[in-house]
Short mmCIF file of all heavy atoms in Angstrom, two decimals:
data_model
loop_
_atom_site.label_atom_id
_atom_site.label_comp_id
_atom_site.label_asym_id
_atom_site.label_seq_id
_atom_site.Cartn_x
_atom_site.Cartn_y
_atom_site.Cartn_z
N GLY A 127 -14.48 -0.23 -31.91
CA GLY A 127 -15.72 -1.00 -31.89
C GLY A 127 -15.66 -2.18 -30.94
O GLY A 127 -16.67 -2.57 -30.36
N ASP A 128 -14.47 -2.77 -30.77
CA ASP A 128 -14.33 -3.97 -29.94
C ASP A 128 -14.06 -3.65 -28.48
O ASP A 128 -14.10 -4.56 -27.64
CB ASP A 128 -13.17 -4.83 -30.46
CG ASP A 128 -13.50 -5.45 -31.81
OD1 ASP A 128 -14.69 -5.47 -32.18
OD2 ASP A 128 -12.57 -5.90 -32.51
N ALA A 129 -13.74 -2.42 -28.17
CA ALA A 129 -13.35 -2.07 -26.79
C ALA A 129 -14.54 -2.22 -25.85
O ALA A 129 -15.65 -1.80 -26.15
CB ALA A 129 -12.83 -0.64 -26.73
N HIS A 130 -14.31 -2.85 -24.72
CA HIS A 130 -15.34 -2.99 -23.69
C HIS A 130 -15.10 -1.89 -22.65
O HIS A 130 -14.00 -1.38 -22.51
CB HIS A 130 -15.24 -4.36 -23.02
CG HIS A 130 -15.36 -5.48 -24.01
ND1 HIS A 130 -16.50 -5.73 -24.71
CD2 HIS A 130 -14.45 -6.41 -24.42
CE1 HIS A 130 -16.31 -6.77 -25.50
NE2 HIS A 130 -15.07 -7.19 -25.35
N GLU A 131 -16.12 -1.57 -21.91
CA GLU A 131 -16.00 -0.50 -20.91
C GLU A 131 -14.84 -0.75 -19.95
O GLU A 131 -14.11 0.16 -19.61
CB GLU A 131 -17.30 -0.36 -20.12
CG GLU A 131 -18.37 0.42 -20.83
CD GLU A 131 -17.95 1.84 -21.19
OE1 GLU A 131 -17.33 2.53 -20.37
OE2 GLU A 131 -18.24 2.25 -22.33
N LEU A 132 -14.63 -1.99 -19.54
CA LEU A 132 -13.55 -2.26 -18.60
C LEU A 132 -12.19 -2.01 -19.24
O LEU A 132 -11.28 -1.51 -18.60
CB LEU A 132 -13.63 -3.72 -18.11
CG LEU A 132 -14.86 -4.04 -17.25
CD1 LEU A 132 -14.89 -5.53 -16.94
CD2 LEU A 132 -14.85 -3.23 -15.96
N ASP A 133 -12.05 -2.35 -20.53
CA ASP A 133 -10.78 -2.12 -21.22
C ASP A 133 -10.44 -0.63 -21.26
O ASP A 133 -9.28 -0.26 -21.22
CB ASP A 133 -10.84 -2.62 -22.66
CG ASP A 133 -11.07 -4.12 -22.75
OD1 ASP A 133 -10.72 -4.82 -21.78
OD2 ASP A 133 -11.59 -4.56 -23.77
N LYS A 134 -11.46 0.21 -21.36
CA LYS A 134 -11.24 1.64 -21.56
C LYS A 134 -10.56 2.30 -20.37
O LYS A 134 -10.00 3.37 -20.49
CB LYS A 134 -12.56 2.34 -21.88
CG LYS A 134 -13.11 1.94 -23.24
CD LYS A 134 -14.40 2.67 -23.54
CE LYS A 134 -14.91 2.30 -24.91
NZ LYS A 134 -16.13 3.03 -25.25
N GLU A 135 -10.64 1.68 -19.21
CA GLU A 135 -10.00 2.26 -18.03
C GLU A 135 -8.52 1.86 -17.94
O GLU A 135 -7.78 2.43 -17.15
CB GLU A 135 -10.72 1.80 -16.76
CG GLU A 135 -12.15 2.29 -16.65
CD GLU A 135 -12.26 3.78 -16.46
OE1 GLU A 135 -11.31 4.40 -15.97
OE2 GLU A 135 -13.31 4.34 -16.81
N SER A 136 -8.10 0.91 -18.75
CA SER A 136 -6.72 0.40 -18.61
C SER A 136 -5.72 1.35 -19.25
O SER A 136 -6.02 2.07 -20.20
CB SER A 136 -6.61 -0.98 -19.25
OG SER A 136 -6.58 -0.87 -20.65
N SER A 137 -4.50 1.31 -18.73
CA SER A 137 -3.44 2.17 -19.28
C SER A 137 -3.08 1.72 -20.69
O SER A 137 -2.70 2.55 -21.52
CB SER A 137 -2.22 2.16 -18.37
OG SER A 137 -1.73 0.84 -18.22
N ASP A 138 -3.21 0.42 -21.00
CA ASP A 138 -2.93 -0.07 -22.35
C ASP A 138 -3.90 0.54 -23.36
O ASP A 138 -3.51 0.94 -24.45
CB ASP A 138 -3.04 -1.60 -22.42
CG ASP A 138 -1.88 -2.29 -21.73
OD1 ASP A 138 -0.86 -1.62 -21.46
OD2 ASP A 138 -2.00 -3.50 -21.44
N TYR A 139 -5.19 0.58 -22.98
CA TYR A 139 -6.19 1.16 -23.88
C TYR A 139 -5.91 2.65 -24.10
O TYR A 139 -5.97 3.14 -25.22
CB TYR A 139 -7.60 0.96 -23.31
CG TYR A 139 -8.66 1.56 -24.20
CD1 TYR A 139 -9.10 0.87 -25.33
CD2 TYR A 139 -9.21 2.81 -23.94
CE1 TYR A 139 -10.06 1.41 -26.17
CE2 TYR A 139 -10.17 3.35 -24.77
CZ TYR A 139 -10.60 2.65 -25.88
OH TYR A 139 -11.54 3.20 -26.70
N MET A 140 -5.56 3.35 -23.02
CA MET A 140 -5.29 4.80 -23.14
C MET A 140 -4.07 5.04 -24.02
O MET A 140 -4.07 5.95 -24.84
CB MET A 140 -5.12 5.43 -21.77
CG MET A 140 -6.43 5.56 -21.02
SD MET A 140 -6.28 6.61 -19.59
CE MET A 140 -6.78 5.54 -18.30
N GLU A 141 -3.04 4.22 -23.85
CA GLU A 141 -1.84 4.36 -24.68
C GLU A 141 -2.18 4.08 -26.15
O GLU A 141 -1.73 4.78 -27.05
CB GLU A 141 -0.74 3.40 -24.19
CG GLU A 141 0.54 3.50 -24.97
CD GLU A 141 1.16 4.89 -24.96
OE1 GLU A 141 1.03 5.62 -23.96
OE2 GLU A 141 1.76 5.28 -25.98
N SER A 142 -3.01 3.07 -26.36
CA SER A 142 -3.44 2.75 -27.73
C SER A 142 -4.23 3.91 -28.33
O SER A 142 -4.05 4.25 -29.50
CB SER A 142 -4.29 1.48 -27.71
OG SER A 142 -4.67 1.14 -29.01
N CYS A 143 -5.10 4.53 -27.52
CA CYS A 143 -5.86 5.71 -27.99
C CYS A 143 -4.90 6.83 -28.39
O CYS A 143 -5.09 7.45 -29.44
CB CYS A 143 -6.82 6.21 -26.92
SG CYS A 143 -8.35 5.29 -26.82
N ARG A 144 -3.89 7.09 -27.56
CA ARG A 144 -2.93 8.14 -27.88
C ARG A 144 -2.24 7.85 -29.21
O ARG A 144 -2.07 8.74 -30.04
CB ARG A 144 -1.88 8.28 -26.77
CG ARG A 144 -2.35 9.14 -25.61
CD ARG A 144 -1.19 9.55 -24.72
NE ARG A 144 -0.50 8.43 -24.11
CZ ARG A 144 -0.87 7.83 -22.98
NH1 ARG A 144 -1.91 8.27 -22.33
NH2 ARG A 144 -0.18 6.83 -22.49
N GLU A 145 -1.85 6.60 -29.40
CA GLU A 145 -1.19 6.22 -30.66
C GLU A 145 -2.13 6.40 -31.85
O GLU A 145 -1.74 6.90 -32.90
CB GLU A 145 -0.72 4.76 -30.59
CG GLU A 145 0.44 4.54 -29.64
CD GLU A 145 0.71 3.07 -29.39
OE1 GLU A 145 0.09 2.21 -30.06
OE2 GLU A 145 1.53 2.77 -28.50
N GLN A 146 -3.40 6.00 -31.66
CA GLN A 146 -4.36 6.08 -32.77
C GLN A 146 -4.72 7.53 -33.08
O GLN A 146 -4.94 7.89 -34.24
CB GLN A 146 -5.62 5.26 -32.45
CG GLN A 146 -5.35 3.78 -32.28
CD GLN A 146 -4.64 3.15 -33.46
OE1 GLN A 146 -4.78 3.59 -34.59
NE2 GLN A 146 -3.85 2.12 -33.21
N ILE A 147 -4.77 8.37 -32.05
CA ILE A 147 -5.02 9.80 -32.28
C ILE A 147 -3.90 10.35 -33.14
O ILE A 147 -4.13 11.12 -34.07
CB ILE A 147 -5.13 10.56 -30.93
CG1 ILE A 147 -6.45 10.21 -30.25
CG2 ILE A 147 -5.02 12.07 -31.15
CD1 ILE A 147 -6.51 10.64 -28.79
N GLN A 148 -2.66 9.92 -32.84
CA GLN A 148 -1.53 10.39 -33.65
C GLN A 148 -1.64 9.89 -35.09
O GLN A 148 -1.33 10.62 -36.03
CB GLN A 148 -0.20 9.94 -33.03
CG GLN A 148 0.99 10.64 -33.63
CD GLN A 148 0.90 12.15 -33.58
OE1 GLN A 148 0.67 12.73 -32.52
NE2 GLN A 148 1.06 12.82 -34.71
N VAL A 149 -2.10 8.65 -35.27
CA VAL A 149 -2.32 8.11 -36.63
C VAL A 149 -3.29 9.01 -37.39
O VAL A 149 -3.06 9.37 -38.55
CB VAL A 149 -2.87 6.66 -36.56
CG1 VAL A 149 -3.43 6.21 -37.91
CG2 VAL A 149 -1.78 5.70 -36.10
N MET A 150 -4.39 9.38 -36.71
CA MET A 150 -5.39 10.22 -37.38
C MET A 150 -4.86 11.62 -37.65
O MET A 150 -5.13 12.21 -38.70
CB MET A 150 -6.68 10.27 -36.55
CG MET A 150 -7.42 8.94 -36.57
SD MET A 150 -9.04 9.00 -35.77
CE MET A 150 -8.60 8.94 -34.06
N ARG A 151 -4.08 12.17 -36.71
CA ARG A 151 -3.49 13.49 -36.94
C ARG A 151 -2.54 13.46 -38.12
O ARG A 151 -2.51 14.37 -38.94
CB ARG A 151 -2.77 13.97 -35.69
CG ARG A 151 -3.72 14.46 -34.63
CD ARG A 151 -3.06 15.43 -33.68
NE ARG A 151 -4.08 15.93 -32.78
CZ ARG A 151 -4.11 15.66 -31.48
NH1 ARG A 151 -3.17 14.95 -30.92
NH2 ARG A 151 -5.07 16.13 -30.72
N ASP A 152 -1.75 12.38 -38.23
CA ASP A 152 -0.84 12.24 -39.36
C ASP A 152 -1.62 12.20 -40.67
O ASP A 152 -1.24 12.84 -41.66
CB ASP A 152 0.01 10.96 -39.24
CG ASP A 152 1.01 11.03 -38.09
OD1 ASP A 152 1.25 12.15 -37.57
OD2 ASP A 152 1.52 9.97 -37.71
N PHE A 153 -2.71 11.44 -40.68
CA PHE A 153 -3.57 11.33 -41.86
C PHE A 153 -4.10 12.72 -42.26
O PHE A 153 -4.01 13.13 -43.41
CB PHE A 153 -4.73 10.39 -41.54
CG PHE A 153 -5.72 10.20 -42.65
CD1 PHE A 153 -5.47 9.32 -43.69
CD2 PHE A 153 -6.94 10.88 -42.64
CE1 PHE A 153 -6.40 9.12 -44.71
CE2 PHE A 153 -7.86 10.69 -43.65
CZ PHE A 153 -7.59 9.80 -44.68
N ILE A 154 -4.62 13.44 -41.29
CA ILE A 154 -5.19 14.78 -41.55
C ILE A 154 -4.09 15.73 -42.01
O ILE A 154 -4.29 16.50 -42.96
CB ILE A 154 -5.92 15.30 -40.29
CG1 ILE A 154 -7.20 14.48 -40.07
CG2 ILE A 154 -6.24 16.79 -40.42
CD1 ILE A 154 -7.82 14.66 -38.71
N ASN A 155 -2.93 15.70 -41.36
CA ASN A 155 -1.83 16.58 -41.77
C ASN A 155 -1.38 16.29 -43.18
O ASN A 155 -1.10 17.22 -43.96
CB ASN A 155 -0.66 16.47 -40.79
CG ASN A 155 -0.97 17.10 -39.45
OD1 ASN A 155 -1.83 17.97 -39.35
ND2 ASN A 155 -0.28 16.66 -38.42
N ASP A 156 -1.29 15.01 -43.55
CA ASP A 156 -0.91 14.65 -44.92
C ASP A 156 -1.95 15.14 -45.92
O ASP A 156 -1.62 15.61 -47.00
CB ASP A 156 -0.70 13.14 -45.06
CG ASP A 156 0.62 12.68 -44.45
OD1 ASP A 156 1.45 13.55 -44.11
OD2 ASP A 156 0.82 11.47 -44.31
N PHE A 157 -3.23 15.02 -45.55
CA PHE A 157 -4.29 15.53 -46.42
C PHE A 157 -4.20 17.04 -46.57
O PHE A 157 -4.32 17.58 -47.67
CB PHE A 157 -5.68 15.16 -45.88
CG PHE A 157 -6.32 14.03 -46.63
CD1 PHE A 157 -6.41 12.78 -46.06
CD2 PHE A 157 -6.83 14.21 -47.90
CE1 PHE A 157 -6.98 11.73 -46.73
CE2 PHE A 157 -7.41 13.17 -48.59
CZ PHE A 157 -7.49 11.91 -48.00
N LEU A 158 -3.98 17.73 -45.45
CA LEU A 158 -3.88 19.20 -45.51
C LEU A 158 -2.71 19.64 -46.37
O LEU A 158 -2.82 20.59 -47.15
CB LEU A 158 -3.74 19.78 -44.10
CG LEU A 158 -5.00 19.73 -43.24
CD1 LEU A 158 -4.68 20.17 -41.81
CD2 LEU A 158 -6.10 20.60 -43.82
#
Side-chain angles (χ1 to χ4, degrees):
D128 292 343
H130 303 295
E131 279 302 317
L132 293 175
D133 297 336
K134 292 181 178 182
E135 296 292 336
S136 76
S137 59
D138 288 344
Y139 179 80
M140 287 193 238
E141 181 58 33
S142 182
C143 279
R144 277 195 299 275
E145 290 169 8
Q146 298 305 330
I147 288 167
Q148 193 55 52
V149 165
M150 289 187 282
R151 283 204 175 113
D152 292 345
F153 178 81
I154 290 166
N155 289 337
D156 284 350
F157 256 106
L158 288 172

